[in-house]
Amino acid sequence: GENVEQHPSTLSVQEGDSAVIKCTYSDSASNYFPWYKQELGKRPQLIIDIRSNVGEKKDQRIAVTLNKTAKHFSLHITETQPEDSAVYFCAASEGGFKTIFGAGTRLFVKA
Amino acid sequence: SQTIHQWPATLVQPVGSPLSLECTVEGTSNPNLYWYRQAAGRGLQLLFYSVGIGQISSEVPQNLSASRPQDRQFILSSKKLLLSDSGFYLCAWSVNPGYTFGSGTRLTVV
């Protein structure tokens, strides 16, 4: 089955700096890669996703890149703000079904 | 619009007691439904998924079971809780693709 590895487990950046979170997946059949943000005590919420036919997608300060050959994808947050502090999860699935999540990255943005 | 309801929000149960968590979705038909568990400070572990009424697949052997008696209702149960069942339980649904999660149930087994 699918296995998703996520790094780093904890990331601390200064406000205004960029943050990068990286994930690798094992199942070459995976074709949908969402990212979720979970604030303390709350539900994970989808912030951006990418399909395997696209190499990069951007939404304001957030971007995701995908390298299908190497089976890895990354989340990039630019101009970080304190409200970006949260746990971020990458995930992989085949068509959005039975999504497998990474272990999460706890992001701290220091003001 | 589609919404997902999950209850209760918090639950404290003694070891050996039964469990029933309920999740319902509105505004969609024949959704894929999922139960995930999140241990403190950890990732999301897929417990069960369902593609239709009465169709349940289990991802990991455990002390829990799931049922889907109606198209938009998904129930997580246990006959006898263990301490290791403590965690944050999240119901989710997807049509295609992407998940919408319920608000979660924080279960503490004491």
Side-chain angles (χ1 to χ4, degrees):
Chain A
E2 177 64 276
N3 183 49
V4 178
E5 301 281 343
Q6 182 172 348
H7 302 280
S9 57
T10 305
L11 179 60
S12 184
V13 300
Q14 204 67 37
E15 182 178 3
D17 288 350
S18 294
V20 181
I21 302 170
K22 298 182 179 181
C23 290
T24 60
Y25 63 99
S26 61
D27 189 349
S28 56
S30 291
N31 56 15
Y32 176 69
F33 307 92
W35 287 86
Y36 291 81
K37 175 183 180 182
Q38 186 179 29
E39 297 178 352
L40 190 63
K42 297 190 176 180
R43 76 188 86 184
Q45 294 197 302
L46 180 68
I47 56 172
I48 194 168
D49 56 14
I50 191 168
R51 296 176 188 263
S52 60
N53 59 347
V54 175
E56 184 174 358
K57 184 176 179 181
K58 191 172 183 180
D59 183 3
Q60 299 182 338
R61 296 187 296 108
I62 294 174
V64 58
T65 58
L66 171 65
N67 182 327
K68 281 173 51 181
T69 304
K71 294 198 194 120
H72 64 70
F73 56 113
S74 302
L75 178 72
H76 304 253
I77 306 174
T78 58
E79 300 171 24
T80 53
Q81 301 166 4
E83 51 265 38
D84 294 329
S85 296
V87 178
Y88 291 81
F89 292 97
C90 65
S93 71
E94 188 175 352
F97 179 64
K98 251 184 71 176
T99 298
I100 302 301
F101 288 81
T105 296
R106 190 171 296 277
L107 174 65
F108 297 96
V109 180
K110 297 176 287 187
Chain B
S1 63
Q2 299 96 356
T3 57
I4 180 168
H5 303 280
Q6 185 179 345
W7 67 93
T10 59
L11 196 56
V12 180
Q13 292 284 102
V15 169
S17 64
L19 173 74
S20 181
L21 303 181
E22 190 162 343
C23 173
T24 60
V25 297
E26 296 177 0
T28 185
S29 296
N30 197 31
N32 294 329
L33 296 173
Y34 307 84
W35 279 109
Y36 281 83
R37 176 171 59 200
Q38 186 175 30
R42 305 290 295 276
L44 295 157
Q45 180 188 32
L46 177 61
L47 302 176
F48 300 96
Y49 67 92
S50 172
V51 299
I53 296 173
Q55 300 179 63
I56 308 295
S57 295
S58 173
E59 284 298 290
V60 292
Q62 59 204 314
N63 184 41
L64 302 167
S65 62
S67 62
R68 187 169 177 176
Q70 300 178 45
D71 181 45
R72 299 173 203 171
Q73 184 184 28
F74 204 23
I75 298 171
L76 183 69
S77 305
S78 174
K79 291 182 180 178
K80 289 185 178 181
L81 285 169
L82 306 172
L83 286 174
S84 57
D85 292 324
S86 294
F88 190 45
Y89 288 82
L90 289 155
C91 177
W93 74 272
S94 69
V95 175
N96 196 24
Y99 281 11
T100 298
F101 284 94
S103 53
T105 296
R106 191 162 302 282
L107 171 66
T108 305
V109 183
V110 297

